[in-house]
Amino acid sequence: MTTAAQAGLNPARLARIDRFLTERYLGPGRLPCAFTVVHRRGVTAHWSPLGQADVERGAALKDDTIFRIYSMTKPITSVALMTLYEQGYFQLNDPVSRYLPSWKDQKVWVSGDADSPELKAPEQPMTFRHVLSHTGGLTYGGTNHPVDRIFRHEGVNRDRNESLSTFIEHLARVPLRYEPGTRWMYSVSTDVCGALVEAISQKPFDEFLEENIFKPLGMSDTSFWVEPEKRDRLTANYQRNPDRTLKLIDDARGESQYYTRPVFLSGGGGLTSTTADYFRFCEMLRRGG
C-alpha cells in the first residue's frame, strides 16, 4: 500500500475527510455509508470505506462491496459508443436515424397541449453529438410539459422488462422538446446511446461492454445484475425521507431486482459496480484511454 506522502499529500489533512463524513453524515444517520478515494500522481493516497452496507443487519461497508451506480453508468455508455466512433462506424455529426430508422421523421414541438400539439420538422436532425451531450431535444418525461405527457402516453419507460429496441420505437413517437443542438436538457439520451451501441455492433449491450470495457480493464464486478455468488456483497439501498431519515427501498438480502438480468439494459443508469472497478475506469479516462 502506498502512502499519502508518496502522493505529495498530508495524511493528517486527508483524515479530515473521514472525520467530516462520520460527524456530519454517518453518525447522525443521514447516510448509511461513504467510500472515499483520493488518487494523485499515480498514487492512491486515501482509500476509505466507512459506515454500513446494510444498516438493519449491521454489516460494514467493505472494499469489495457492490453498489448500484445509477447515473455513473452514463460515462461507461458514452465511452462504449465512442469506441465505435474510433472504429469508423459513424461521425459525430451523422444523424442517429442512420442506425435508428424509425427516427427519420422526428418532429419538434412548437406549441399546444399533449392532445393537439403543433409540430414541425427539425431544422437539423438529431446527431450522435447531440445524444452524447444531452442536446438532442429529448427529456426524461417527468414534468407536466406537453411533450412529457406525450412521452408517458406513448408508454416510454425504462422498466427492467422493456427492451432497448421497443424503448426506441416508443420514443420515436414522441416529439422533441426543442430544436436539436439549441439547448441542454438532462434526458434519456444516454439510454439512446446504449441502443445505438447495440444497433451498430449487432451485439447485446451488456456483451459489448464486457468485451470492450470491463474485461480489458479488469472490471470483474461490474454488470447489470449481481450473480448469485456475489449477492452477499450488494449493499442495501436507501432513500432520504423529508426529515432526513433513511428508508430501505431495496433489501439486498431479500428479492432484489438486481438479482436477475434485466431486459432493459439501461445505459443511463443500470449498472452495479465496486469502488475498485470504477476506479479502474476512472484511471483509464485520466490516462487518456
Side-chain angles (χ1 to χ4, degrees), residues 262-276:
V263 176
F264 186 74
L265 302 172
S266 174
L271 287 171
T272 62
S273 188
T274 61
T275 301

Side-chain angles (χ1 to χ4, degrees), residues 131-202:
V131 292
L132 282 161
S133 59
H134 292 275
T135 59
L138 300 173
T139 78
Y140 258 127
T143 75
N144 201 39
H145 189 278
V147 169
D148 286 353
R149 294 205 299 273
I150 297 170
F151 184 105
R152 296 190 293 272
H153 175 75
E154 293 294 344
V156 181
N157 66 73
R158 298 158 71 242
D159 185 88
R160 289 173 68 87
N161 294 317
E162 183 77 274
S163 70
L164 280 173
S165 59
T166 57
F167 165 78
I168 288 298
E169 294 307 309
H170 292 157
L171 196 54
R173 299 194 289 268
V174 180
L176 302 179
R177 176 80 173 262
Y178 56 86
E179 284 282 353
T182 63
R183 290 177 57 188
W184 181 93
M185 183 172 287
Y186 199 48
S187 67
V188 296
S189 290
T190 315
D191 287 308
V192 174
C193 289
L196 285 166
V197 170
E198 276 203 349
I200 296 170
S201 69
Q202 294 296 293

Side-chain angles (χ1 to χ4, degrees), residues 31-255:
L31 288 176
C33 59
F35 204 134
T36 306
V37 178
V38 178
H39 189 83
R40 184 171 186 250
R41 297 176 181 171
V43 175
T44 300
H46 189 69
W47 179 279
S48 178
L50 297 172
Q52 296 178 318
D54 188 326
V55 174
E56 285 70 26
R57 296 169 180 84
L61 192 71
K62 298 180 179 179
D63 286 347
D64 64 352
T65 294
I66 296 173
F67 300 90
R68 304 155 190 78
I69 66 171
Y70 292 112
S71 280
M72 293 311 297
T73 303
K74 287 182 170 70
I76 294 175
T77 301
S78 297
V79 165
L81 185 56
M82 288 302 291
T83 64
L84 293 168
Y85 163 78
E86 288 183 332
Q87 294 171 30
Y89 283 95
F90 64 88
Q91 296 299 308
L92 291 176
N93 292 328
D94 286 347
V96 297
S97 60
R98 176 180 170 187
Y99 287 101
L100 304 177
S102 62
W103 287 33
K104 286 183 179 179
D105 297 319
Q106 280 180 322
K107 298 292 189 291
V108 178
W109 177 84
V110 177
S111 63
D113 58 26
D115 295 326
S116 55
E118 179 186 348
L119 309 177
K120 71 178 186 70
E123 295 179 6
Q124 62 172 319
M126 187 191 305
T127 67
F128 283 84
R129 186 186 300 275
H130 295 147
V131 292
L132 282 161
S133 59
H134 292 275
T135 59
L138 300 173
T139 78
Y140 258 127
T143 75
N144 201 39
H145 189 278
V147 169
D148 286 353
R149 294 205 299 273
I150 297 170
F151 184 105
R152 296 190 293 272
H153 175 75
E154 293 294 344
V156 181
N157 66 73
R158 298 158 71 242
D159 185 88
R160 289 173 68 87
N161 294 317
E162 183 77 274
S163 70
L164 280 173
S165 59
T166 57
F167 165 78
I168 288 298
E169 294 307 309
H170 292 157
L171 196 54
R173 299 194 289 268
V174 180
L176 302 179
R177 176 80 173 262
Y178 56 86
E179 284 282 353
T182 63
R183 290 177 57 188
W184 181 93
M185 183 172 287
Y186 199 48
S187 67
V188 296
S189 290
T190 315
D191 287 308
V192 174
C193 289
L196 285 166
V197 170
E198 276 203 349
I200 296 170
S201 69
Q202 294 296 293
K203 289 183 179 180
F205 185 39
D206 56 344
E207 290 184 17
F208 185 91
L209 293 180
E210 177 65 26
E211 293 174 9
N212 293 275
I213 297 179
F214 303 155
K215 189 174 180 179
L217 290 177
M219 297 171 65
S220 58
D221 287 323
T222 303
S223 176
F224 285 102
W225 65 293
V226 180
E227 297 169 345
E229 64 272 18
K230 298 180 180 181
R231 290 179 181 177
D232 62 342
R233 294 164 50 197
L234 179 67
T235 60
N237 196 16
Y238 301 88
Q239 71 177 22
R240 290 279 295 276
N241 292 318
D243 63 357
R244 296 185 178 182
T245 59
L246 300 177
K247 177 183 177 182
L248 180 67
I249 60 173
D250 187 20
D251 187 352
R253 302 301 161 260
E255 294 299 321

